[in-house]
Amino acid sequence: MKRAIQRLSPLTVSRHASPGWLCDGGGLYLRILPATGENAPGLVKSWVYRFTLNDRRRDMGLGPYPAVSLAVARQMAGEARAMVKTGRDPLDARQQERDAEREARAALLTFDDAVKRFLGSHEGAWRNEKHRQQWRNTLETYASPVLGKTAVQSITTAHVMRAVEPLWSTKPETASRLRGRIERVLDWAAARNHRQGDNPARWRGHLDKLLPARAKLRRVQHHAAVPIDGVSAVYSKLGESTGMAALALRFLVLTGARAGEVTGARWKEIDLEGGTWTVPADRIKAGRLHRVPLSAEAVTILRERVSEDPEEYVFPGGKEGKPLSLTALSKALWTAGGEDFTVHGFRSTFRDWSAERTNFPREVAEMALAHVISDKVEAAYRRGDL
């Protein structure tokens, strides 16, 4: 490209100028380049201030012509030239101004707005609507009244404590989840440059110095489980009923599955001939496909309910197209004499039975319950499902 150097005047900048550089003096240039793109014929003109600082030449764009006039370009170049004379880099100064503007905009993002944006970017990774709703409800009910209108940049430990501390002794599980979810939202805000500094909702090395450990507040209440020797009586009582909930609960006892996995089962997951029930990953807590071997008794229960529609629920509820409710399972257990126990407790009973009454390895029992292997190295090498 041929370089043309000449003194500019407000009247000599022609729209038909040749490609190159036109010099106005004092380091101000009009750069003229061919337009790119099929629908952009002609030339593109823009102002550039060239300067040397610390033996390094730099180009500073001042904007396009004619949107930026010659008079304005000369003023901008003059301001930059004055900075260079004092040893300041005008490009660095401009970047600092932009950073300050960005921080000012970030300071306007409230906690409620951050929650909406955080949920919008993360909900797709959560397995079910119940989990999504729990996140929304916890933050809306307990965090929003305290933090909602506060800019995320301004949230301090005192703010977090006002939201969490009232629940810590009365609802420790809820309080712990609330703290963790606030921490996640503020971490997201920091990653998006909406706040700086340490996370005031961090537990380790921070809030653990201000709040007592949950274990010291209330003993963990495990799901009440039917004793091993009591399962037979409860199961026999369930067998006296032909109700849908009793059938589903018997199936749950035989498979060691979670209640939601049983009530949400569809016929497309069942292979009666092969004697297996394949629960897809999106319905398993561990997020991994789980195959359940079916006993003869379990297959017999299913044959009483067999359907030709693969999308139909195996244990439908009272409303058409809806699965059996978890409450119905609890009522069935209560009717069968298990009023002091929980449906989920049958999984604990299964684990006790497999450990105390069988010789199967621990790994087999854990896999039957679809538990995640805590050792990451072991999990990486465990490919089969036994």
Side-chain angles (χ1 to χ4, degrees):
M1 179 181 297
K2 183 178 179 181
R3 180 174 177 179
I5 306 292
Q6 68 180 56
R7 176 71 181 177
L8 293 177
S9 76
L11 302 177
T12 59
V13 183
S14 169
R15 62 188 298 268
H16 302 294
S18 301
W21 293 80
L22 300 180
C23 178
D24 185 56
L28 176 62
Y29 291 84
L30 182 68
R31 180 170 55 189
I32 304 174
L33 298 174
T36 58
E38 296 180 359
N39 299 320
L43 300 172
V44 175
K45 307 179 185 112
S46 61
W47 297 107
V48 176
Y49 170 62
R50 280 187 163 178
F51 64 96
T52 299
L53 185 64
N54 299 324
D55 297 324
R56 180 186 178 192
R57 196 185 78 173
R58 308 195 70 184
D59 287 355
M60 179 179 181
L62 302 180
Y65 176 86
V68 176
S69 67
L70 175 60
V72 172
R74 284 174 173 169
Q75 179 182 350
M76 295 171 67
E79 294 171 354
R81 193 180 303 115
M83 289 186 188
V84 173
K85 288 181 179 180
T86 62
R88 294 180 60 198
D89 190 323
L91 281 172
D92 291 343
R94 182 162 66 181
Q95 185 61 48
Q96 291 172 2
E97 290 180 3
R98 290 173 177 174
D99 291 342
E101 292 175 0
R102 184 166 57 251
E103 290 177 5
R105 289 195 301 270
L108 300 177
L109 183 73
T110 66
F111 182 79
D112 278 349
D113 290 335
V115 168
K116 291 178 183 178
R117 293 174 61 178
F118 172 86
L119 293 178
S121 62
H122 285 78
E123 282 183 321
W126 293 331
R127 290 187 295 275
N128 54 63
E129 178 57 33
K130 181 180 179 181
H131 187 62
R132 300 185 188 102
Q133 193 62 46
Q134 287 174 339
W135 261 85
R136 287 193 292 267
N137 289 346
T138 302
L139 292 170
E140 288 175 3
T141 303
Y142 301 110
S144 182
V146 179
L147 308 174
K149 303 305 179 184
T150 306
V152 290
Q153 177 59 43
S154 302
I155 292 177
T156 65
T157 301
H159 290 101
V160 177
M161 288 291 287
R162 282 204 296 271
V164 173
E165 193 171 20
L167 300 172
W168 200 257
S169 59
T170 58
K171 298 180 180 179
E173 182 66 27
T174 300
S176 179
R177 290 178 179 176
L178 173 63
R179 183 210 62 78
R181 288 166 185 175
I182 293 173
E183 181 181 19
R184 289 279 303 278
V185 172
L186 295 182
D187 276 344
W188 172 90
R192 293 280 184 172
N193 295 318
H194 292 296
R195 64 170 283 117
Q196 296 178 344
D198 293 337
N199 192 320
R202 188 181 78 253
W203 176 252
R204 190 182 298 275
H206 186 55
L207 291 185
D208 62 347
K209 309 302 181 186
L210 303 176
L211 295 167
R214 285 194 301 134
K216 295 182 179 180
L217 292 173
R218 182 182 299 178
R219 292 186 64 184
V220 176
Q221 298 293 318
H222 296 290
H223 293 280
V226 177
I228 298 174
D229 293 330
V231 173
S232 179
V234 172
Y235 190 85
S236 296
K237 192 69 174 178
L238 289 170
E240 297 175 5
S241 172
T242 58
M244 190 64 65
L247 285 173
L249 190 53
R250 287 168 60 195
F251 186 75
L252 179 146
V253 172
L254 294 168
T255 57
R258 294 181 174 85
E261 294 162 7
V262 171
T263 58
R266 298 178 188 266
W267 283 107
K268 63 183 180 181
E269 300 171 6
I270 305 296
D271 179 5
L272 289 176
E273 298 303 321
T276 58
W277 169 31
T278 304
V279 190
D282 61 357
R283 293 208 310 108
I284 291 290
K285 184 177 181 179
R288 180 178 178 180
L289 180 145
H290 179 53
R291 290 197 307 163
V292 183
L294 300 176
S295 64
E297 174 79 357
V299 171
T300 298
I301 292 174
L302 293 176
R303 289 195 184 280
E304 296 181 26
R305 287 284 316 135
V306 68
S307 171
E308 297 296 329
D309 183 358
E311 295 296 332
E312 184 180 338
Y313 288 107
V314 175
F315 302 105
K319 295 183 179 180
E320 185 177 355
K322 298 292 184 180
L324 190 69
S325 70
L326 301 182
T327 302
L329 294 183
S330 297
K331 289 181 178 179
L333 177 59
W334 188 90
T335 303
E339 62 270 17
D340 295 328
F341 308 108
T342 65
V343 172
H344 192 81
F346 278 112
R347 286 170 59 81
S348 178
T349 305
F350 169 84
R351 189 66 186 86
D352 291 341
W353 169 81
S354 62
E356 299 176 14
R357 306 292 175 86
T358 79
N359 294 319
F360 291 110
R362 174 185 178 277
E363 291 80 4
V364 176
E366 290 297 296
M367 191 159 285
L369 291 170
H371 281 165
V372 176
I373 301 173
S374 58
D375 189 311
K376 293 184 178 180
V377 175
E378 181 183 354
Y381 284 93
R382 179 75 59 79
R383 303 298 174 85
D385 61 4
L386 302 180

